[in-house]
Amino acid sequence: MTTPPSGLILTGVRDADAATAWLLRELEELPLGPFDHPVVLANHPALRRALTLGIARGTGCAASVRFVSPAGWVDEVAGLEGVDGEWRAAAMTWRLTESLTEHAALLPRSARQIIEGQDTVALLELARAVAQRFRAYVLHRSELLVRWESAEPNDTTDDGGEGWQRAMWRALVHGSQSRSPAQIIADVRAGTCHIPDDLPPVILVVADPT
């Protein structure tokens, strides 16, 4: 198991009740000042709701605690969206319209027909769908993107549709001003991510059950 970044308290839980009980114990032990706002990371909305209600019942107020998704927290501290938000889905959409045209030969037949038909509206919709897929990969399958980035530059081997997606992702990485968000997430998982000094004094991480 990798060592978590300094300042993080992690636990694994089997249900929301266990998570709430653990969280209340941790909050009671923290030397929090009147202006401190600890951050709780919980991935599932249902778990966040349960924890909020549990804190309110246990302490009378949950307003001082801020709930953030793990990906949202990483975005805040490490900048997953990059320079000028270039890794947002909307920004990737416009960048992908050019890449899809340039790599049309690698695309599935239905996508090639859009390029060949010069249907700009359909091309934009295709680029938007690919951008949203890549954003989902960043949040949930970042290891796949890291593998694509480390592949040989001329590797166009198609593995269940991966070939053209790999080429599109590599084109995005090559044309970006900022670091790949997949690499940033890899650093966080490895415990090598730099934690800025101006973050809240304590960050609690509640691991969803698996």
Side-chain angles (χ1 to χ4, degrees):
M1 179 180 295
T2 57
T3 302
S6 176
L8 300 184
I9 303 172
L10 299 95
T11 188
V13 295
R14 293 184 178 276
D15 54 54
D17 291 338
T20 300
W22 173 85
L23 181 56
L24 287 172
R25 289 194 300 270
E26 292 295 332
L27 288 173
E28 290 176 357
E29 296 176 1
L30 293 176
L32 297 174
F35 302 107
D36 290 334
H37 297 279
V39 176
V40 177
L41 305 192
N43 195 46
H44 199 282
L47 179 57
R48 292 197 291 271
R49 287 194 297 270
L51 293 173
T52 301
L53 292 174
I55 294 173
R57 287 194 298 265
T59 66
C61 179
S64 64
V65 179
R66 190 164 69 95
F67 288 87
V68 185
S69 70
W73 178 77
V74 172
D75 193 8
E76 288 183 11
V77 301
L80 287 184
E81 293 187 348
V83 176
D84 297 328
E86 64 182 346
W87 290 110
R88 295 175 183 168
M92 285 193 289
T93 295
W94 290 106
R95 297 164 61 200
L96 281 165
T97 55
E98 182 178 352
S99 297
L100 288 165
T101 302
E102 292 178 351
H103 298 83
L106 301 177
L107 302 178
R109 181 180 178 184
S110 57
R112 286 200 310 271
Q113 290 175 338
I114 292 175
I115 306 298
E116 294 166 356
Q118 299 183 342
D119 187 336
T120 56
V121 174
L123 173 59
L124 185 60
E125 289 300 319
L126 173 62
R128 182 177 292 113
V130 175
Q132 291 171 345
R133 173 70 63 86
F134 284 166
R135 184 64 181 174
Y137 285 164
V138 166
L139 299 179
H140 305 294
R141 299 188 63 191
S142 59
E143 70 284 351
L144 174 65
L145 300 178
V146 170
R147 176 162 58 82
W148 286 354
E149 292 173 29
S150 62
E152 291 296 327
N154 296 324
D155 183 5
T156 58
T157 303
D158 196 353
D159 181 11
E162 276 194 19
W164 68 270
Q165 293 183 72
R166 179 170 58 243
M168 296 300 99
W169 179 256
R170 290 175 63 90
L172 286 174
V173 172
H174 180 72
S176 298
Q177 302 177 63
S178 48
R179 195 169 177 225
S180 159
Q183 296 289 347
I184 294 174
I185 290 178
D187 285 350
V188 172
R189 288 177 172 173
T192 58
C193 179
H194 172 68
I195 305 298
D197 295 334
D198 59 351
L199 286 182
V202 177
I203 298 174
L204 304 177
V205 180
V206 179
D208 291 356
T210 56

